[in-house]
Amino acid sequence: MFTLRRWWERRGLQVGIITLILAITWMVRETQGSFLLELYQLINRPLEVLHKQTPLEVSQKDNRRIEELENRIITLQTQNQKLKSLLKYVEKSSLTSKPILARVVGRSADNWWQQVILNRGSADGIKKDYIVKAEGGLVGLIDNVTPNTSRVLLISDSSSRVGVTIDRTAAKGVLRGNSSTGEAELEFYEKVPNVKIGDFITTSTYSQKFPPGLAMGKIKSLDLKRLPTSVAIVELSPPISSLDWVMVYSKATKNESDKPQ
């Protein structure tokens, strides 16, 4: 008995370590390593809690959260202001059909002045050839529709042609878009039209795609010596370069809606 006790005092620690190693090896094998992961998480969790509760870290996290909320508030306020301005513009619009508010959600860098994608489509009642306006005037026509999106052909597209008139003098011409600048070129029907820089233009009764009287922009420069007809560069009044919210209308006007069915 005395001999066994002395042996245990000398070898007991080694036997205990070997037994622990064998037990851990068995548990790792049986649990496919999940035991070590749980053991690590058990040891590391209090340290993580202590780290997260560091006053500086908590303060920085709160500051980031506050900044995020402030940015969201500013964004919502900006959108709210835009929508209010848009609704005021709707009240003054010559188009009396109920507008569908839509937001620009797509625009290619390759055709920035040609097309935009809206977040409303046929499911919202939008159809091909519907009129698109923004605060300031005419934007373009719907030229393609899916259930949830629609594509707008902008009046600044080089393929766009719109009959227009000078408000001040009733001089008329055709407005062609310029895809490279975002402006438009107005070719007059008259060789020497009664027009000057700063004159405002609107859609004319000659326009087949739009009702008359829709604002489009103002004369930026003139070339009255150009052949075969005088031309003007028009600065478009809608914010074509930074469109956000727009209004989509059917073609019905007040005069048309008053006609007998």
Side-chain angles (χ1 to χ4, degrees), residues 174-194:
V174 176
L175 192 73
R176 305 172 186 271
N178 187 330
S179 299
S180 62
T181 65
E183 296 178 328
E185 185 177 88
L186 172 55
E187 294 184 357
F188 293 97
Y189 294 144
E190 303 173 74
K191 178 63 183 77
V192 185
N194 184 2

Side-chain angles (χ1 to χ4, degrees), residues 37-249:
L37 179 60
E38 292 176 2
L39 181 62
Y40 169 79
Q41 291 176 341
L42 180 64
I43 296 172
N44 192 55
R45 190 173 294 114
L47 298 177
E48 290 179 348
V49 172
L50 289 175
H51 176 70
K52 290 180 180 179
Q53 292 179 346
T54 301
L56 179 60
E57 293 289 334
V58 171
S59 177
Q60 291 176 343
K61 182 178 179 181
D62 288 345
N63 288 338
R64 288 194 296 269
R65 179 61 175 167
I66 291 172
E67 289 177 359
E68 179 185 357
L69 291 174
E70 288 177 344
N71 288 334
R72 290 180 63 184
I73 290 172
I74 292 173
T75 299
L76 290 173
Q77 288 175 337
T78 301
Q79 291 184 8
N80 185 51
Q81 188 61 42
K82 288 181 178 179
L83 288 174
K84 284 183 178 179
S85 298
L86 206 57
L87 289 174
K88 288 180 180 178
Y89 184 75
V90 168
E91 294 174 357
K92 300 176 182 179
S93 175
S94 60
L95 293 171
T96 56
S97 60
K98 184 178 179 180
I100 301 170
L101 290 180
R103 193 168 192 182
V104 175
V105 294
R107 194 165 189 162
S108 171
D110 296 332
N111 56 4
W112 190 261
W113 304 107
Q114 300 169 26
Q115 299 172 352
V116 295
I117 304 297
L118 306 181
N119 66 342
R120 295 287 185 269
S122 58
D124 303 285
I126 294 178
K127 299 179 181 180
K128 181 177 170 59
D129 291 333
Y130 270 25
I131 298 165
V132 183
K133 295 179 64 180
E135 186 177 5
L138 184 63
V139 169
L141 278 179
I142 299 292
D143 75 337
N144 184 270
V145 182
T146 71
N148 299 306
T149 64
S150 50
R151 187 177 65 196
V152 182
L153 177 68
L154 300 174
I155 57 175
S156 54
D157 187 295
S158 56
S159 65
S160 174
R161 302 288 187 274
V162 184
V164 298
T165 185
I166 304 297
D167 282 355
R168 184 178 60 85
T169 65
K172 291 178 174 55
V174 176
L175 192 73
R176 305 172 186 271
N178 187 330
S179 299
S180 62
T181 65
E183 296 178 328
E185 185 177 88
L186 172 55
E187 294 184 357
F188 293 97
Y189 294 144
E190 303 173 74
K191 178 63 183 77
V192 185
N194 184 2
V195 61
K196 64 181 181 179
I197 294 175
D199 279 345
F200 289 94
I201 68 169
T202 58
T203 52
S204 74
T205 53
Y206 292 0
S207 177
Q208 298 179 352
K209 297 179 180 180
F210 304 99
L214 301 182
M216 298 194 68
K218 63 181 179 179
I219 304 297
K220 181 179 179 181
S221 63
L222 284 168
D223 185 354
L224 301 179
K225 297 181 179 180
R226 185 165 167 178
L227 296 174
T229 182
S230 298
V231 298
I233 300 300
V234 175
E235 179 181 353
L236 300 173
S237 54
I240 300 295
S241 61
S242 56
L243 288 174
D244 189 6
W245 291 94
V246 298
M247 301 163 291
V248 184
Y249 293 86

Side-chain angles (χ1 to χ4, degrees), residues 93-97 211 251-259:
S93 175
S94 60
L95 293 171
T96 56
S97 60
K251 287 191 174 183
T253 64
K254 184 175 182 180
N255 291 335
E256 290 172 341
S257 62
D258 288 342
K259 290 180 180 180

